[in-house]
Amino acid sequence: MSTIPDDLSYTKEHEWVAGLDDGLTVTVGITAYAAEALGDVVYVQLPEVGATVEAGDSIGEVESTKSVSEIYAPVSGEVVEVNQAVVDKPDLVNSEPYGEGWMFRVRLEGDPEDLLSAEEYTALTSGDN
Amino acid sequence: MSRPTPLRDIHESLGATLTDFAGWLMPLRYGSESAEHNAVRERAGLFDLSHMGEIFVTGPQAGQALDYALVGHLSALAVGRARYTMIVNEQGGVLDDLIVYRLGDEEFMVVANASNYPMVAARLTERASGFDAAVEDRSDQYALIAVQGPKAQEILATLTDADLEGLKYYAGLPGTVAGAEALIARTGYTGEDGFELFVANADAAPLWHALTKAGEPYELLPAGLSSRDTLRLEAGMPLYGNELNSSLTPFDAGLGRVVKFDKPGDFVGRAALEPIKDVPPRRRLVGLVATGRRVPRHGYPVTKDGVVVGEVTSGAPSQTLGKPIAMAYVDTGIEEGLAVDIRGSQEAVDLVELPFYRRNK
């Protein structure tokens, strides 16, 4: 069972969101829980820089040996940066889901809604084990 | 609730990701499925296959009963040998693919897929009714552990006096492995050399531990169903439910060679299969290699110039080729300019003959 960093926010779709404090730009990735469930990640498709996304939109995908999952925008705003390293080396999602395996950054438009605290996310995932 | 195998506690202690497969709680992977895949290709891997079914057919006419019930010529099988065969319905549709071992003059063991063995046992019982033969489903009594890979023989040799060197591919003999009575079979589903060990449930855990210890110097890894699937896909081996199903005949699947029309007597499916044995099927089973990185998966359409000309049956990233690979049924005669519709995007693929991987013997 992976530990869940308590300084991040989460979605029910097993994404994490960092950097909400400054209220400007957030970094998004998928959780270690999700990476473990997927297995070895072999392909990551990320949104385009400059794309405007709405919270809940499907904006990319993560493919592992056995399955494929969509990446959803956890917040609304403009994609200002994507992590080319994770496209080139998808196994970063498995090895460093909260570090080098981050996926993209979004400049916020409006206040994010429906994000979970670490405590809430822990409760969500512990039910599956 | 999924049914556990006798090795469940071991899988849990190894930190396996467990998954439901055909009603069984099975290890999907223990750590990285890529590492498990590579271990089997380069050294050895250890698999729990206790979900497979073992059905015994015994009696003076056991061979004849199987000749009638299956498409193969099993009465001609030598004692100690095994054969890949199929059970079909009256229309010639494949109900399951099987391995049949001849254990004695009057004793055969039919190994059926986990999802199908109760049905196979029922059909065999039905079809054996006119013969002096008894059918008994002993799946509940047996565990099955496979050690697969180039080092499999060296590892197993440290635990048994059985003549492994003399054991041919697709042969099986009774022996003692780490003190347990076992049927030792040189069969597998990985494209590598290897052995499958049928043992009583109570012997499964001690045997697993013994194999793990014997495999330590060889860096043997426990391997789950995920790597088993990518290994068999590279080896071009069909999976029931993917490449095979009851709407396809053995000829449709390119496996017509397993149908033995020259065996004595009638068999279930003969009337349907004989007239089509020389008719080229509309589609054939081929290999596809993706040029990009997205993976063609089961059920995705194969297209040419936007027109659907086939369907993917299995797909995965291939460790050995470093590219996504797939098996697919594709219209006969179409070999170039193919793509797979991967969630709405046409991704180019090259058609290749199966298998993708063949070991150096």
Side-chain angles (χ1 to χ4, degrees):
Chain A
M1 181 70 201
S2 53
T3 52
I4 292 168
D6 58 12
D7 56 344
L8 303 176
S9 298
Y10 298 88
T11 69
K12 287 179 187 148
E13 286 78 31
H14 306 286
E15 288 162 315
W16 56 260
V17 182
L20 284 167
D21 295 346
D22 69 7
L24 297 172
T25 301
V26 297
T27 304
V28 179
I30 70 165
T31 65
Y33 175 87
E36 276 175 30
L38 280 165
D40 294 343
V41 173
V42 296
Y43 172 79
V44 176
Q45 185 188 50
L46 297 176
E48 302 271 323
V49 170
T52 303
V53 298
E54 288 261 344
D57 285 355
S58 168
I59 57 169
E61 60 186 39
V62 181
E63 192 146 29
S64 69
T65 306
K66 295 302 288 177
S67 65
V68 60
S69 300
E70 290 183 272
I71 301 172
Y72 297 96
V75 295
S76 300
E78 183 190 344
V79 177
V80 291
E81 190 179 351
V82 298
N83 184 9
Q84 187 59 36
V86 86
V87 174
D88 296 338
K89 210 168 166 292
D91 59 355
L92 286 173
V93 175
N94 296 106
S95 59
E96 296 185 61
Y98 301 113
E100 293 299 306
W102 66 276
M103 299 216 164
F104 55 92
R105 297 201 163 106
V106 178
R107 186 183 297 127
L108 290 177
E109 277 167 22
D111 289 331
E113 291 173 21
D114 298 330
L115 293 179
L116 307 175
S117 66
E119 202 173 29
E120 288 167 327
Y121 185 66
T122 304
L124 178 79
T125 54
S126 61
D128 295 348
N129 281 320
Chain B
M1 274 296 280
S2 307
R3 189 173 159 189
T5 79
L7 297 169
R8 175 195 185 151
D9 291 349
I10 293 179
H11 300 322
E12 287 187 340
S13 71
L14 290 169
T17 300
L18 295 168
T19 187
D20 177 87
F21 180 81
W24 290 78
L25 189 65
M26 299 298 294
L28 185 64
R29 60 174 173 271
Y30 300 84
S32 153
E33 59 245 8
S34 311
E36 293 165 23
H37 180 109
N38 292 338
V40 175
R41 285 275 178 264
E42 292 160 13
R43 307 180 307 275
L46 190 59
F47 295 88
D48 177 10
L49 308 176
S50 301
H51 60 317
M52 303 291 282
E54 293 86 10
I55 301 157
F56 284 71
V57 183
T58 53
Q61 289 190 304
Q64 287 91 327
L66 288 171
D67 284 348
Y68 174 70
L70 309 178
V71 299
H73 189 182
L74 289 313
S75 64
L77 197 59
V79 173
R81 297 307 305 266
R83 192 76 82 228
Y84 178 76
T85 187
M86 293 179 179
I87 182 168
V88 301
N89 60 25
E90 295 285 350
Q91 294 74 41
V94 179
L95 296 174
D96 201 9
D97 61 339
L98 311 163
I99 294 178
V100 178
Y101 297 85
R102 187 165 201 169
L103 306 180
D105 282 336
E106 298 186 3
E107 184 178 21
F108 294 80
M109 179 174 73
V110 178
V111 176
N113 283 301
S115 50
N116 292 332
Y117 74 75
M119 175 275 296
V120 173
R123 294 291 171 103
L124 287 178
T125 304
E126 229 170 78
R127 295 177 188 186
S129 66
F131 296 88
D132 188 0
V135 176
E136 191 190 354
D137 182 357
R138 296 187 203 159
S139 303
D140 287 351
Q141 301 167 29
Y142 283 91
L144 175 56
I145 295 173
V147 53
Q148 298 276 305
K151 298 295 181 188
Q153 184 177 322
E154 279 177 66
I155 292 167
L156 193 57
T158 65
L159 300 175
T160 182
D161 294 332
D163 176 19
L164 300 178
E165 193 69 45
L167 189 64
K168 294 191 174 91
Y169 189 50
Y170 268 76
L173 56 81
T176 305
V177 182
E181 294 298 310
L183 173 72
I184 307 168
R186 196 164 211 147
T187 44
Y189 194 50
T190 60
E192 296 301 330
D193 186 20
F195 299 87
E196 295 187 310
L197 307 168
F198 296 85
V199 294
N201 285 333
D203 293 327
L207 176 60
W208 179 280
H209 288 306
L211 285 162
T212 300
K213 195 157 188 308
E216 263 171 25
Y218 301 91
E219 297 176 64
L220 167 140
L221 284 186
L225 290 184
S226 183
S227 58
R228 182 171 155 87
D229 192 48
T230 52
L231 288 158
R232 71 93 197 164
L233 175 59
E234 286 185 348
M237 294 174 167
L239 171 64
Y240 196 85
N242 287 42
E243 284 71 40
L244 301 173
N245 63 59
S246 62
S247 68
L248 296 171
T249 70
F251 295 102
D252 292 328
L255 293 164
R257 63 179 183 277
V258 306
V259 186
K260 304 298 181 193
F261 292 108
D262 55 357
K263 65 180 170 179
D266 194 16
F267 64 92
V268 179
R270 182 196 281 273
L273 292 172
E274 199 140 31
I276 61 164
K277 70 179 195 290
D278 298 317
V279 179
R282 187 172 69 86
R283 285 183 170 176
R284 66 186 189 111
L285 189 64
V286 298
L288 302 177
V289 178
T291 54
R293 290 165 67 181
R294 302 177 84 194
V295 183
R297 296 189 186 270
H298 176 75
Y300 288 9
V302 181
T303 61
K304 183 179 167 71
D305 302 329
V307 179
V308 175
V309 295
E311 186 174 317
V312 173
T313 51
S314 298
S318 163
Q319 294 289 314
T320 306
L321 276 70
K323 292 174 179 175
I325 58 171
M327 288 203 264
Y329 283 105
V330 173
D331 288 353
T332 308
I334 300 183
E335 305 209 336
E336 289 183 353
L338 291 169
V340 173
D341 184 334
I342 299 183
R343 301 180 290 283
S345 150
Q346 306 297 315
E347 304 281 341
V349 292
D350 292 325
L351 184 147
V352 299
E353 297 302 322
L354 294 166
F356 299 98
Y357 167 84
R358 205 187 293 271
R359 77 185 160 102
N360 295 317
K361 291 187 183 173

